[in-house]
Amino acid sequence: MEALFLLVPLSVIMVFVALWVFFSASDGGQFDDLVGPGMRVLQDDDSSAPAAPAGPVDAAQQNGDVTH
């Protein structure tokens, strides 16, 4: 019986802490978009990235006079 004097208030405090954590996460935007990340996984994105554009070409490269 003496254990209940400790366990009941301790459990009530734990419930309030859990509620505070939940509502602070909710206010912080933690649960805003639950569907979007799951849908992005399912979208097929197998296309390769486009080739990077070539840098500026100088007159020597245009004429083919490039020596390395």
Side-chain angles (χ1 to χ4, degrees), residues 3 8-10 14 17 29 35 39 49-50 54 66 68:
V8 170
L10 189 63
M14 287 178 56
V17 168
V35 177
M39 295 304 286
V66 179
H68 294 287

Side-chain angles (χ1 to χ4, degrees), residues 34-60:
L34 297 177
V35 177
M39 295 304 286
R40 280 194 297 269
V41 169
L42 296 175
Q43 291 175 347
D44 190 19
D45 191 18
D46 288 340
S47 63
S48 62
V57 178
D58 62 349

